[in-house]
Amino acid sequence: MRPRSRRSVLAAAGATLLGGCLGGGPATETADPTATAGSTRTPTATEATAEPFDGPPPLGRDAVPEGAAAPPAFADEHTFDGSFSNATDVAPRGDGASVLLTGQWGGGTTTATLVDVTADGRPGERIAVEDLPTSEILFHRHLGDRTVVGGYRRDDDTFRTWLRGIETGARVFETDLGERTVVSDVAVVDSTLVAAGVKQPPDDSNGNGAAVLLWVDADGTVARRVTFDTPDANERFWAVTPTTNGYLAGGSRSDDVWVVAVDHEGTRRWERRVRRGTESYIVEGLAVGDTGTYAVARTEQYATGDNHVLLLALDPGREGAVEWTRVFDPNADETRPGELFPAAIVDDGGPRLAGHTRGRIWLGATDPDGAVRWAGYHRFRADEHLQALASVVDGRLICHGRSGSYDSDSSTPTPWVGWQ
């Protein structure tokens, strides 16, 4: 039984509903006459016509450079009981974290459980979350004493994101982010949830998607909605992270790597677009830390089975200019098509990444100048697979997902969390 990760769900939605160069600069924000109160729309940024950026060749066979050190073992691991099948998300909470366990539903209702865990992974109190709108639950975050759980529903061929606010398991608000609005990533700043995603085109159009940022208060009110909609460009955000002077959002603009810096109000400060050869890329993770600003992207291949990871170091002082890139490609030896997807990135003495392929977790790290510190794979027993995402808690990578066997119809997947 193969689980559907948050990224695979949203990739499927994007493939169904959404149809190079270095450059870009600041743009003046204007009001959108069709938007609701408090929302804004940004106009087209200045176009640039730089040459395509090819970058270096892939690093090593099977995304592991020759002679690279093996990644460190997980400091702590925990497998939860089998009443739930997936550790869908991990979020900071107090001095530790909370794990969102999902996968038990029936009779048209969906249940999930929040489990508090200590910094070293020891589980504690559980709070049941009942009667969620759909079984497609993707994330949770804590806004003070309130927890926001998010997921998506599908109405005919339209996807839309919902948010449920809960306290001690009881519902305190239910918010629908609007028709055709799909959120891919969220961050918390003070008591505000900042969400990044896409506004899909109408069902009966051949239009392009528009990238959106939304600010959601602790009572579920959408306080601000900023839309980035360049004519004749398909734009979407897949990642967002706070910075000292605003936020960094990343995704794709048509086939380009796309990173946008905005201030605290959502006004665009600068943007950077990168085209590497003929590949289409999506930024799925961003890290802003002491050693630099980093983005991790993956290829957008839905059928050919050759997805790989692109790591970029950016210079915010030069409007996101690319300082260096590294390519981790499981197809570099050309012996077979492979899959490698990024899951999360942190700045820990340089970029540190987690990703996944069929049955394994991939881990990699470089120095701030791009020299590879380690790279390699982690798996359970040979007859088991481990489908995993990763989350960032206090600058630490936490891998999570579920384990089970591909070879047994009776195998029951169990939630698993590993602390790096």
Side-chain angles (χ1 to χ4, degrees):
M1 182 177 182
R2 190 175 180 92
R4 300 185 71 196
S5 70
R6 176 173 61 202
R7 296 303 189 193
S8 67
V9 166
L10 296 172
T16 302
L17 299 171
L18 302 177
C21 55
L22 304 181
T28 303
E29 188 174 291
T30 58
D32 174 11
T34 66
T36 58
S39 67
T40 54
R41 180 177 294 270
T42 59
T44 306
T46 302
E47 295 295 332
T49 56
E51 292 296 318
F53 179 77
D54 290 329
L59 287 169
R61 176 174 176 170
D62 205 28
V64 180
E66 184 177 356
F74 287 104
D76 300 282
E77 297 184 52
H78 185 75
T79 300
F80 293 85
D81 65 70
S83 59
F84 291 90
S85 62
N86 195 30
T88 298
D89 191 38
V90 179
R93 182 169 184 144
D95 295 330
S98 63
V99 181
L100 177 64
L101 301 180
T102 62
Q104 176 180 337
W105 54 80
T109 62
T110 301
T111 60
T113 286
L114 291 171
V115 182
D116 286 337
V117 294
T118 61
D120 60 0
R122 289 181 287 109
E125 181 183 4
R126 292 190 174 206
I127 298 176
V129 183
E130 299 180 346
D131 299 329
L132 290 170
T134 66
S135 61
E136 300 293 353
I137 308 166
L138 303 179
F139 58 83
H140 76 296
R141 294 294 186 274
H142 302 287
L143 306 180
D145 294 331
R146 185 163 293 179
T147 299
V148 178
V149 179
Y152 83 93
R153 60 165 52 91
R154 178 171 180 166
D155 301 322
D156 296 325
D157 289 329
T158 299
F159 292 81
R160 57 201 300 161
T161 293
W162 53 263
L163 303 175
R164 164 76 61 85
I166 58 175
E167 288 184 13
T168 62
R171 178 174 62 184
V172 292
F173 73 77
E174 190 91 38
T175 297
D176 190 310
L177 295 184
E179 186 179 6
R180 299 188 298 275
T181 297
V182 180
V183 165
S184 299
D185 194 22
V186 292
V188 172
V189 178
D190 298 324
S191 294
T192 300
L193 187 76
V194 182
V198 61
K199 178 66 178 292
Q200 303 155 349
D203 296 344
D204 58 354
S205 79
N206 293 319
N208 293 305
V212 294
L213 292 174
L214 305 99
W215 283 253
V216 183
D217 291 339
D219 63 357
T221 301
V222 179
R224 186 182 306 114
R225 180 190 299 254
V226 178
T227 307
F228 300 79
D229 192 5
T230 306
D232 301 321
N234 187 13
E235 296 170 319
R236 46 185 160 159
F237 286 143
W238 288 71
V240 63
T241 192
T243 64
T244 56
N245 52 9
Y247 306 90
L248 203 61
S252 61
R253 184 181 184 276
S254 296
D255 293 324
D256 299 343
V257 169
W258 190 40
V259 178
V260 182
V262 302
D263 64 18
H264 291 287
E265 301 300 314
T267 301
R268 180 163 27 192
R269 297 175 50 245
W270 54 260
E271 73 173 72
R272 179 62 51 174
R273 292 191 294 121
V274 175
R275 168 66 63 85
R276 181 180 181 272
T278 60
E279 299 282 2
S280 299
Y281 284 97
I282 298 170
V283 174
E284 289 203 348
L286 296 160
V288 178
D290 294 336
T291 74
T293 297
Y294 307 101
V296 61
R298 68 161 172 86
T299 41
E300 189 175 17
Q301 308 286 353
Y302 291 110
T304 56
D306 57 358
N307 288 288
H308 62 265
V309 169
L310 172 66
L311 171 64
L312 305 97
L314 307 175
D315 183 355
R318 295 188 293 138
E319 297 189 343
V322 177
E323 297 182 313
W324 52 261
T325 69
R326 295 292 180 266
V327 178
F328 297 93
D329 187 354
N331 310 287
D333 59 1
E334 298 182 351
T335 59
R336 66 195 186 286
E339 300 278 10
L340 179 60
F341 301 95
I345 180 172
V346 296
D347 182 6
D348 179 16
R352 184 169 178 168
L353 304 88
H356 65 89
T357 186
R358 188 182 189 275
R360 296 186 294 177
I361 293 175
W362 176 87
L363 300 167
T366 81
D367 292 329
D369 63 0
V372 175
R373 285 186 281 168
W374 66 74
Y377 290 88
H378 168 87
R379 68 157 69 228
F380 279 12
R381 298 191 309 269
D383 64 338
E384 288 190 331
H385 75 277
L386 181 62
Q387 174 76 12
L389 293 171
S391 298
V392 178
V393 175
D394 295 330
R396 187 181 185 188
L397 278 178
I398 299 179
C399 295
H400 53 91
R402 64 187 188 183
S403 66
S405 175
Y406 281 123
D407 301 323
S408 173
D409 293 336
S410 62
S411 173
T412 301
T414 54
W416 170 89
V417 179
W419 279 256
Q420 269 270 285

